[in-house]
Amino acid sequence: MNIEEISEKLAWLPGPATRFIEKRMKKIPAIKKLLDEENAKTMQVLEHSLKPYAGKYEKYPKLPSSGLSHEKILAEMQSMHDLETVKWREGYVSGGIYHGDQEHINFLNKVYALQSQSNPLHTDLFPSATKFEAEIVSMVATIHGKGTAGHNANVCGTVTSGGTESILVAMKTYRDRARELKGITEPEMILPLTAHVAFDKASQYFNIKQVKIPFTGDYKVDVNLVRKAVNNNTVVIVGSAPSFPHGTIDAIQELSEIALKNGIGFHTDCCLGGFIVPFAEKLGYKVPVVDFRLPGVTSMSVDTHKYGYAAKGTSVVLYRDEELRHFQFYTSTDWPGGLYMSPTLAGSRPGALSAACWAALLSVGEEGYLKATKAIFETADKIRAGIQTIPEIKILGSSFWIFALSSDSLNIYEVLEQMTQRHWSLNGLHKPACFHIALTLRHTQPGVAERFIQDLKDSVAYVKANPGNKDGLAPVYGLAASLPFRGIISDILKKYLDVVYKV
Ligand SMILES: *Cc1c(COP(=O)(O)O)cnc(C)c1O
């Protein structure tokens, strides 16, 4: 019997029973051996794909005894860069690199070089960093309704290192506010099952219980179940605009009204949509309002390093007012190192990334974001129409520019594997089984949409003719989706990270 057969036999067990059995099972030598063997096989596949440079480039497991020349280091890096650029430049990648035009990259690189020594922690040394960050927050807040009505004149925020940090600090903020103002010691957050995994991370890091709410047939969170889940320990409700997996926008207005009525926070996770949704609205597309124009929305996360076209490493977290933002800030009054205050998780921070973000916002401008959104939506129309001509493939939910694809008749992971064989780098998802493509400016280049549809047609035809092909990662996805033992999967993921850090 192999792991897949065992998991099929045990799939009917309830969660706690499964976890109990799993713990016992892992102690049985025969089972442990089986698992170790499966793991070793999986790791071999992974190591091969994670470490393609083994044998091609010299390894440096320890410091060279004397420093290498700049030329040698740069030559090696240039060579890796050249290998790694091809795929995303030509538009084979879902998400990942959101702008990618060489002129834009060159400009950001110049800005980075100018500011590479900057650290916003040292406000006295780098007033430029302070200016850049204050203006980034204000520009992003204005995109999301700052000042459009009396009740949202004071929208404020901070720059963070990415969407995950924006979400982490926002959840910490609600936890601390509820403890301070309401004496809540066992805080809970209510969130869609499809909300980004960063909320799960926040729950683990900050000890906030999660109440996960399933989605309805349209892949939006079930609003009625959210309403029922509110209790005296609820500190925040979360909605995505849109969600990472299926690209659908939750019913933010209704959800935020529930929060408003109950006197609790509401967070719109607009990491993915922050620079698309408001511009799509201006262009006349039928997208819902998801920002501070809704009186119940008290915070948002908006990723400048996605569709804001900044370099990787910046995001913005926004709050309705400064009073709420205070619960995010860290201060120390008694440390022998002096009086200390810091807005976010990190201490010292890369000021150059904020500078590059500021420069990206200024150089693209409102017109640039409108143009980019229009191009992405037009490409999305083409791709949606193309997918609809393939009877074996369906799009999950009603999304705008992110398409999650599944199939009733084929193993969708085998289709994904065929797309990978055709050079695509797409995101495999589960529960339900599907994969997605998040469209970026890279896909608006001539011919890319057509190539995607043709490759998808070819992949579907191949899987139809050759079902059950066990190549690549398809069996891993299949196993991860079906295995009831989540602890075993978690062990595999930790081993994956071990492989990442293997020299
Ligand atoms: C990308 C994303 C995040 C945060 O991801 P980071 O990788 O930390 O920037 C959060 N929510 C959604 C919906 C996202 O797409």
Side-chain angles (χ1 to χ4, degrees), residues 162-165 167 196 198 240 242-244 269 271-272 303 305-306:
T164 297
E165 190 182 359
I167 289 166
H196 194 272
S240 312
S243 76
F244 173 82
D269 180 13
C271 280
L272 209 44
D303 280 357
H305 72 189
K306 286 181 182 156

Side-chain angles (χ1 to χ4, degrees), residues 233-497:
N233 283 331
T234 309
V235 300
V236 61
I237 300 175
V238 173
S240 312
S243 76
F244 173 82
H246 315 112
T248 47
I249 298 181
D250 289 316
I252 302 295
Q253 175 160 6
E254 288 171 87
L255 294 169
S256 62
E257 278 166 10
I258 297 172
L260 188 62
K261 235 176 55 197
N262 288 281
I264 53 185
F266 183 87
H267 183 91
T268 303
D269 180 13
C270 214
C271 280
L272 209 44
F275 282 85
I276 297 273
V277 175
F279 296 109
E281 184 188 343
K282 282 208 162 140
L283 288 164
Y285 290 102
K286 276 203 165 56
V287 290
V289 175
V290 300
D291 58 27
F292 291 99
R293 286 171 293 168
L294 302 173
V297 172
T298 50
S299 62
M300 296 181 74
S301 41
V302 179
D303 280 357
T304 39
H305 72 189
K306 286 181 182 156
Y307 295 95
Y309 308 128
K312 273 284 173 278
T314 64
S315 167
V316 169
V317 58
L318 296 173
Y319 295 103
R320 183 166 281 288
D321 54 46
E322 289 176 350
E323 210 181 317
L324 180 54
R325 183 173 63 176
H326 274 187
F327 291 101
Q328 178 183 312
F329 292 162
Y330 171 81
T331 58
S332 170
T333 51
D334 300 318
W335 182 40
L339 292 176
Y340 184 101
M341 63 256 149
S342 147
T344 53
L345 295 180
S348 288
R349 293 188 296 118
L353 289 182
S354 292
C357 174
W358 180 80
L361 295 173
L362 290 191
S363 69
V364 176
E366 181 164 356
E367 259 175 38
Y369 288 113
L370 285 167
K371 209 175 129 202
T373 301
K374 187 156 185 277
I376 289 170
F377 272 51
E378 282 170 2
T379 304
D381 284 342
K382 261 195 246 176
I383 287 191
R384 188 185 297 107
I387 294 168
Q388 282 163 353
T389 66
I390 309 173
E392 292 83 0
I393 298 289
K394 64 177 183 188
I395 300 173
L396 301 182
S398 53
S399 60
F400 296 93
W401 74 100
I402 295 153
F403 297 113
L405 307 181
S406 80
S407 175
D408 292 332
S409 53
L410 305 174
N411 179 336
I412 199 68
Y413 299 126
E414 290 175 25
V415 178
L416 172 58
E417 176 58 24
Q418 285 308 309
M419 290 299 277
T420 307
Q421 300 278 332
R422 287 162 180 74
H423 312 297
W424 290 89
S425 177
L426 308 172
N427 303 83
L429 316 171
H430 60 186
K431 298 172 177 268
C434 60
F435 67 83
H436 88 194
I437 179 167
L439 300 179
T440 69
L441 280 180
R442 295 288 88 207
H443 305 110
T444 65
Q445 301 176 95
V448 176
E450 291 77 7
R451 189 177 67 207
F452 176 81
I453 294 303
Q454 190 55 53
D455 285 343
L456 187 58
K457 281 181 179 161
D458 294 348
S459 297
V460 165
Y462 181 91
V463 173
K464 258 178 107 166
N466 309 275
N469 193 320
K470 294 276 184 198
D471 287 345
L473 287 174
V476 180
Y477 283 118
L479 183 62
S482 66
L483 194 65
F485 303 120
R486 307 321 284 173
I488 293 174
I489 305 285
S490 172
D491 290 346
I492 294 178
L493 298 182
K494 285 176 184 166
K495 288 224 164 79
Y496 177 100
L497 290 178

Side-chain angles (χ1 to χ4, degrees), residues 120-140:
L121 184 67
H122 300 298
T123 46
D124 54 338
L125 286 179
F126 301 109
S128 58
T130 309
K131 172 182 162 63
F132 299 148
E133 295 204 333
E135 291 179 5
I136 291 167
V137 170
S138 177
M139 282 189 263
V140 175

